Amino acid sequence: MTRRLDLAMLLLLTFSTGMVDAIGYLGFDKVFTGNMTGNVVILGMGLAGADGVPVLRPALALVFFMVGAALSGRILGDIGENWHHRTTLTFSGVAVGCAALSIYVAVVPDPEIGLAGTIFTSALSALMGAQAAAARRMKIADVTTVVVTSTIVGLAADSSLVGGDNVRRIRRALAVVLILIGALAGAATLMLNQWIGIALVAVMIAAAAVIGHVGEKKRRTRAEAAAETVTA
């Protein structure tokens, strides 16, 4: 039951990443803040001199994503794959950071332009790096929250059409669909105001942190009760 809950939360975070990347790419000069594969490609094209393709922001996004992932790894330490109070701390920190960025975007004039936009994309990349590292530590197969390329490969290569068992087809399909719908939702929020999408992402990450924490407390309570029953 606990692992199913973890899977549901990571799928929620996959949806939020779709929103984040749509907001970054469409609203902040073609920068992915969650999908670093996309940033590497954009950076390569920019370095080659392609017209209208940025270099600085994708490069900084890569650096800050790794910084966020490293800090998250340091905080989490060797906690194993089960939810831990450090997991709650990490996701809560990401949620608070996203909430702060939504306020930043709301109050700063033209937040997508110049230094203001670079600060936003770099900070959001750091937060997404921290989230991705925490999700990775949970070891839910085929759900990384930030990319679905390997998930799509698994969905096709293990399909029953080619003789595979595709035992994880539902989660794989959900991950792909959710990041797609998330991107659609993120693009839609840009029609209203840039801060709205980031605020919604903050709410979703906070919800995941709360649900995960409560679920882990219940699991621990059941385990303690079962241990007492055995020893009684």
Side-chain angles (χ1 to χ4, degrees):
M1 182 66 179
T2 302
R3 298 304 283 173
R4 288 201 296 270
L5 183 62
D6 290 345
L7 172 61
M9 287 184 296
L10 293 191
L11 288 171
L12 174 63
L13 295 178
T14 300
F15 174 87
S16 71
T17 300
M19 290 188 66
V20 162
D21 272 336
I23 292 166
Y25 188 86
L26 296 175
F28 291 84
D29 194 25
K30 299 182 176 66
V31 179
F32 289 111
T33 54
N35 177 11
M36 290 301 112
T37 302
N39 265 346
V40 170
V41 174
I42 289 172
L43 181 59
M45 292 187 294
L47 290 172
D51 291 338
V53 179
V55 172
L56 178 62
R57 287 187 186 177
L60 288 175
L62 281 168
V63 171
F64 279 92
F65 186 92
M66 288 189 290
V67 169
L71 289 175
S72 179
R74 180 68 175 176
I75 291 169
L76 293 169
D78 187 18
I79 61 171
E81 62 187 46
N82 288 325
W83 193 280
H84 190 275
H85 69 270
R86 294 183 189 177
T87 313
T88 302
L89 176 65
T90 302
F91 282 129
S92 297
V94 173
V96 170
C98 288
L101 284 178
S102 71
I103 296 171
Y104 171 83
V105 170
V107 301
V108 173
D110 300 319
E112 73 280 5
I113 297 175
L115 180 61
T118 302
I119 290 172
F120 172 81
T121 54
S122 297
L124 188 54
S125 294
L127 293 171
M128 291 299 101
Q131 174 185 291
R136 179 177 179 272
R137 193 61 58 91
M138 294 168 71
K139 297 181 180 178
I140 299 291
D142 296 308
V143 185
T144 66
T145 76
V146 289
V147 291
V148 292
T149 303
S150 59
T151 304
I152 293 171
V153 170
L155 191 61
D158 295 337
S159 169
S160 56
L161 296 175
V162 296
D165 54 18
N166 211 353
V167 293
R168 293 193 291 268
R169 63 186 180 279
I170 294 177
R171 74 171 64 173
R172 288 168 172 168
L174 281 173
V176 175
V177 170
L178 286 172
I179 205 166
L180 171 65
I181 298 174
L184 176 63
T189 62
L190 287 174
M191 299 178 188
L192 302 174
N193 199 296
Q194 294 157 318
W195 69 268
I196 294 175
I198 303 301
L200 290 173
V201 168
V203 170
M204 285 185 277
I205 298 172
V210 171
I211 294 170
H213 184 69
V214 171
E216 176 57 20
K217 286 184 69 175
K218 289 181 178 179
R219 184 198 67 79
R220 193 172 301 153
T221 299
R222 288 195 299 268
E224 291 172 355
E228 289 176 1
T229 302
V230 171
T231 57

